[in-house]
Amino acid sequence: MMDIVGAVALVTGATGGIGRSLVSTLLEAGARKIIACDLDEAALGEIKRSAPGRCETHAFDVTDEQAVQRVAAACGDVSLLINCHGLVIHESYLEAAGVAGFRKEMEVNYWGQVLMCRAFAPIVGKNGGGAIANFLSPLALATHPFCGNYCASKAACRALTDAMRAELAEQGTLVVSIFPGAIDTQMMTKLDMPKSQPAEVAAGVVAAIIAGDTECWVGETAPEFRDQWRIDPAPLVAAAAKYLRLPK
């Protein structure tokens, strides 16, 4: 369990729909300060007006180890880290013109989380144990062929998160795996299916952290996927293999 009241939280990917909603939800839950990474100036101004003195932003590249270390050095009071950044490339391994996009996807999704966890785990531990929450995906479990590299990056993030949970148990840090379903964000614009609103997902994530849950399945289709996976994953794997490419 973690008490959000009085906590200092750092949220990556804060300019996106979920990240921005997380900032608002954490403030409403009583966080003392939010460090909203890459939050745009318009959103930052709005939050500063509604919650003066409780939000700041840092612009940096999560794949740049030196930049991550600089932010960590400047943010020694963080007790909650939420890795919400992410990138998806809807391309087939065989049809893509090259692998540069795949490398970038892995750098952002996986190595970005690695660098953030390495930099902030000691800080979170020093500040009472706190929590680290990593955004994964149900696609970490069932691979869709036309975004296979994204699935691979999220599978790697799942392994990272499980390792962090074991390694940080001694310092009392809660480590949460977040498996969001379909959400109404820019990343899922072309998907024609029911979607949850970012605010609903943010509320579910914060509730899971407060409750001390190690897994959070939230958003359209996520709980159903979880239940089916636990009963029998074969239908999910078979359905994923038939996944159609998105319209251009």
Side-chain angles (χ1 to χ4, degrees), residues 76-213:
D77 52 356
V78 169
S79 56
L80 170 61
L81 168 66
I82 303 181
N83 283 314
C84 188
H85 59 273
L87 172 68
V88 61
I89 297 173
H90 292 285
E91 287 190 305
S92 158
Y93 279 121
L94 299 179
E95 295 177 0
V99 299
F102 296 146
R103 291 183 185 277
K104 180 67 173 177
E105 192 172 38
M106 190 65 75
E107 284 284 335
V108 172
N109 295 352
Y110 173 62
W111 286 109
Q113 285 196 7
V114 170
L115 293 178
M116 291 298 295
C117 286
R118 280 174 52 83
F120 280 93
I123 295 171
V124 170
K126 179 193 70 175
N127 291 320
I132 295 174
N134 288 340
F135 270 75
L136 311 180
S137 169
L139 301 189
L141 302 171
T143 300
H144 287 187
F146 290 98
C147 59
N149 193 72
Y150 175 81
C151 300
S153 73
K154 289 302 184 178
C157 289
R158 180 189 177 210
L160 162 70
T161 307
D162 289 346
M164 288 293 97
R165 185 174 298 115
E167 292 187 28
L168 300 181
E170 188 174 350
Q171 72 176 35
T173 297
L174 170 68
V175 178
V176 186
S177 303
I178 303 169
F179 295 90
I183 308 164
D184 190 13
T185 63
Q186 185 64 34
M187 187 180 287
M188 296 189 176
T189 299
K190 295 182 179 180
L191 288 174
D192 184 15
M193 61 189 304
K195 301 171 189 174
S196 297
Q197 292 303 307
E200 176 187 342
V201 175
V205 170
V206 172
I209 293 169
I210 293 172
D213 296 336

